[in-house]
Each structure stands twice: as C-alpha cells, then as structure tokens.
Amino acid sequence: MTVNERAVRALKEILQKPGNDACADCGAADPEWASCSLGVFICLGCSGIHRNLPEIGKVKSVTLSRWEDSEIQFMAERGNKAMKAEYEAVVPVYYYKPTHKDCQALREQWIRAKYERKEFSTAGRKLPYEEGMREGMLMKRGRDNGQFFSRRFVLLEREGNLKYYAKQDAKMPKAVIKVDTINATFQPGKIGNPNGLQITYLKENITRNIFLYHESSKEIVDWYNSIRYVQFHYLKVAFPGSSDAELKPKLTRNFLKEGYMEKTGPRQTEGFKRRWFTLDHRRLMYFKDPLDAFAKGEVYLAHRDLGYSVCAGLPVGTHCNGAWQHGITIVTPDRSFLFTCESESEQQDWISHFSSAIGTSMSPQEYSMEALFKHKY
Ligand SMILES: [Zn+2]
C-alpha cells in the first residue's frame, strides 16, 4: 500500500464518524473534500467557496490530494460535529442557513459569516442584521422597461415595513411594504444576476413582485437576513404564545416549484395559453412573463375537506388546442382550473406538490386567506 492509499484509508475511517457524513456547511451527503485549515469535511461546491477565503481556505480532496500525517491527525481531532458546536454555537433563529440547493451568494455569505467573521461563535454579539433599521441603495428592475435602476430602500423594525423611493431625495416612498406580507427569495437565474433577490408581497390582497440585486453578495444577503430579522420580531408580537420553532416557517420561504404550464380560462373554451407558474406554499400564481410585477391570477390550494382536489388529465370533452398534452385538473368549490404540462414528469411533479398542499391541514390564518380568495373568482 502506498503512502497515499494509507492516507485515503485513514480519512475514509474518519469520515465514518457522526457528523462527517454530510457537508459541514450545506448538509450535502457524502462530502469528498475537506478544509484542513478548519478541520471540516465539505462538498465540492462549498470547497470552491472555502478556497477563496484568505488564511482559512486550505482545501484538499479526500481521495485525490496528498495528505500529511499531521493533517490527517488534525481532521480526526476536529471534524464536523465539534466544529459546528464551535462555529454555529449561536445561530439566530431568523438567520437563513442555506442548503446545497441554495444559490452561491447565500452559501458563500453563510460560510464567510461562520468562519471569517465568526458571527455565530459567541453569544451577545449584535449582528449587522439586527440594527432595527437598514437603509441603502439596491438595483431595482423597472416594471415596464425591464431596466435596472438604483433605488433607496429603508427597512424599519419599529414600523414593520420596507419602503423604497423612486428618487434619492424623495420624501414620499414609492411603496410601503408590510413585512408580514413579504416573501423574499433568491432568484439568480430568473433575474439574470448572481445576487438577484425577488420580493413578493401583498398590496390590497394582490400579489406584487419586485426584482432586486446588489453588486455585493454580502450586501444582498445582509438585506435578506435583515428582512427575516424584522419579520421574526413582528411575528413575535403578533403571535405572543408561539415558540420560535413555530414562527420560523412563517419567515421567508423558497417557492416550492416554478415553471411553465398552459392554462385555459374559466369557460374552458378559450385556447390554452402558456403561463409562468409559481407555487408559494398554497398560492399558485401565474404570470405572462416570469418577471411580471403582478400575477395574472392565483389559485389558493386549500384542504380537501373544503372541496379542493387535484387529478391528472382534463375533463372528458375538453378541447385541448394547446401544444402540451399532459393535463392537470384542480377542482375548487367555485370552478375547475385546467392546465397542461410539456412532459409527464413535469405533470407528476406539479401534481405531487398540489396534492401535498391539499392534503395538509390548515392554520386559522389560512382559513381566512381561503375565504378572501373565494371572493376574487
Ligand atoms: Zn456543501
């Protein structure tokens, strides 16, 4: 056995220890890389981020790199469990811990916050997200022309809202957004910028989208976590009896699924038209274009006991004049919605998400939401 084979065998043994079976930073299974400055096992994606950290960015492949005995010893002594206890000792409830499915900006800032800035190592530190007020310029996509312009944004914990101004010195905000209606999600692909952030909110019960970015990934991720911080404190006041664990899922959430389907109108005789669909928990919204400010319409997916159901296929006799053939029918107490998907796998994927929403019991807030939606049809 060569020196290196021995090293690989020793490392594989260390990888068997609890905690080392998943990336220390994003949780991806079976990490094949390691930071030998920090003593953690990480996935390929996170290793690329670590590599760019000055001073602490020494990464090696478990199987391909040459390892010194002292380095193997170091990995054995440390490992993911012990280092998590050190670097993630006090992660605030509102702080979003990214997974391997999240975008580069979120993962990079999480790794930098953990190891470079050591934000979560000792209690009692006031983090930049917790100021109660954040003010700054963000690039915002214009509603009509699709160009991005620099706009001043102000987030205020005291007022529980996010405002933005059309001009730097404007007195009146262009919009006042209540934080409890905000859902912020990173959308680099859709927005066409690695730091692209979509903010979805309600204005007079109508869903509205704005699309933002900042050149600096730290700035945009700080904004994102500041919004979560303000939302969390708003919810604490609104639901005084709730535990942190109950409130956490009410903060920003990633969309369950997005993509194109074709749909027909309420009379079901209109042609099928291609629309961009976004499923945000129980709200299925559709847009003409993925970057539209307003949804063309929405379907609220309430519990099946209230008369909601979903099935594959279209009602017999539906004149399917669209290009796509894989039908889905959603039945609500008021009407049926007919969709078609490009492929069977897309159809099955959408159906499994719809079924899961319809099969999940509802909170009191969701009952009032459902009642509100009924009036819209
Ligand atoms: Zn990872």
Side-chain angles (χ1 to χ4, degrees):
M1 190 161 37
T2 67
V3 177
N4 218 41
E5 280 169 353
R6 217 170 50 228
V8 168
R9 209 161 75 169
L11 284 164
K12 290 240 158 112
E13 222 157 88
I14 302 169
L15 275 167
Q16 301 298 313
K17 290 212 277 184
N20 293 346
D21 56 342
C23 172
D25 298 324
C26 75
D30 306 320
E32 292 187 331
W33 289 76
S35 159
C36 31
S37 336
L38 295 161
V40 290
F41 292 97
I42 49 183
C43 71
L44 174 65
C46 292
S47 80
I49 297 170
H50 276 261
R51 203 186 295 275
N52 291 327
L53 305 180
E55 289 168 38
I56 48 169
K58 194 171 169 203
V59 297
K60 284 193 170 184
S61 156
V62 167
T63 48
L64 306 170
S65 306
R66 276 197 65 86
W67 287 78
E68 302 293 333
D69 285 346
S70 60
E71 289 170 330
I72 296 171
Q73 183 65 27
F74 183 75
M75 294 306 296
E77 282 162 7
R78 295 194 153 206
N80 293 5
K81 210 171 152 212
M83 291 304 101
K84 260 190 195 205
E86 185 175 331
Y87 290 104
E88 294 181 34
V90 284
V91 184
V93 190
Y94 66 83
Y95 189 95
Y96 183 78
K97 283 164 77 166
T99 70
H100 64 283
K101 288 185 188 150
D102 283 300
C103 68
Q104 172 87 5
L106 267 174
R107 288 186 299 117
E108 177 182 336
Q109 290 309 316
W110 160 237
I111 288 170
R112 286 185 184 269
K114 251 170 94 170
Y115 304 113
E116 245 182 8
R117 306 195 288 270
K118 298 191 177 64
E119 288 179 0
F120 318 121
S121 299
T122 43
R125 267 184 74 173
K126 192 163 171 105
L127 299 175
Y129 331 103
E130 300 174 353
E131 290 300 331
M133 167 161 177
R134 171 173 280 274
E135 187 174 6
M137 305 302 284
L138 292 169
M139 297 301 285
K140 178 186 168 293
R141 188 179 188 270
R143 205 171 95 191
D144 304 318
N145 57 13
Q147 273 182 296
F148 282 84
F149 297 99
S150 184
R151 295 283 179 254
R152 185 161 66 96
F153 279 76
V154 179
L155 174 70
L156 266 183
E157 182 186 351
R158 185 166 32 86
E159 294 180 6
N161 60 37
L162 173 71
K163 298 178 213 173
Y164 73 89
Y165 297 82
K167 294 262 156 52
Q168 172 81 43
D169 54 355
K171 294 275 177 294
M172 287 296 287
K174 190 89 199 307
V176 179
I177 304 168
K178 289 184 76 221
V179 287
D180 58 323
T181 74
I182 293 181
N183 185 29
T185 56
F186 276 87
Q187 299 284 355
K190 213 160 84 173
I191 296 174
N193 183 287
N195 303 328
L197 184 70
Q198 174 172 354
I199 289 186
T200 301
Y201 64 97
L202 288 181
K203 192 180 169 189
E204 283 135 19
N205 292 313
I206 294 170
T207 303
R208 171 87 212 261
N209 291 319
I210 53 174
F211 301 94
L212 310 170
Y213 74 87
H214 193 284
E215 286 304 331
S216 145
S217 68
K218 175 163 191 309
E219 271 295 312
I220 200 76
V221 174
D222 281 1
W223 270 101
Y224 175 73
N225 279 305
S226 296
I227 290 170
R228 288 178 57 100
Y229 168 81
V230 171
Q231 281 182 315
F232 185 65
H233 283 265
Y234 182 93
L235 290 169
K236 277 258 195 218
V237 176
F239 304 99
S242 301
S243 69
D244 287 359
E246 284 167 328
L247 296 181
K248 199 173 174 178
K250 295 183 197 291
L251 301 176
T252 65
R253 58 206 174 265
N254 292 327
F255 297 140
L256 295 171
K257 185 172 167 69
E258 284 197 293
Y260 284 106
M261 286 194 286
E262 293 183 332
K263 76 172 280 295
T264 180
R267 286 187 302 280
Q268 298 169 9
T269 48
E270 304 91 332
F272 276 76
K273 292 198 183 87
R274 198 160 302 174
R275 297 286 179 245
W276 177 262
F277 284 80
T278 298
L279 180 61
D280 177 1
H281 194 46
R282 290 188 187 275
R283 305 174 71 129
L284 177 67
M285 300 168 263
Y286 50 95
F287 303 88
K288 215 169 165 180
D289 182 279
L291 296 176
D292 278 348
F294 295 100
K296 279 194 81 70
E298 285 189 48
V299 186
Y300 193 77
L301 301 168
H303 191 259
R304 66 169 86 85
D305 288 355
L306 297 174
Y308 291 75
S309 66
V310 58
C311 65
L314 301 174
V316 180
T318 306
H319 178 58
C320 188
N321 53 0
W324 293 347
Q325 303 301 324
H326 304 274
I328 299 177
T329 302
I330 293 180
V331 177
T332 77
D334 301 290
R335 59 168 278 200
S336 297
F337 291 87
L338 312 186
F339 309 113
T340 53
C341 304
E342 190 174 17
S343 67
E344 197 183 333
S345 66
E346 271 293 285
Q347 175 203 38
Q348 292 307 318
D349 196 33
W350 278 111
I351 289 177
S352 81
H353 284 293
F354 298 154
S355 306
S356 141
I358 289 170
T360 307
S361 55
M362 302 196 338
S363 69
Q365 291 80 29
E366 288 175 327
Y367 276 98
S368 22
M369 189 65 105
E370 194 256 348
L372 203 79
F373 265 87
K374 268 192 180 162
H375 296 296
K376 287 215 260 176
Y377 301 142

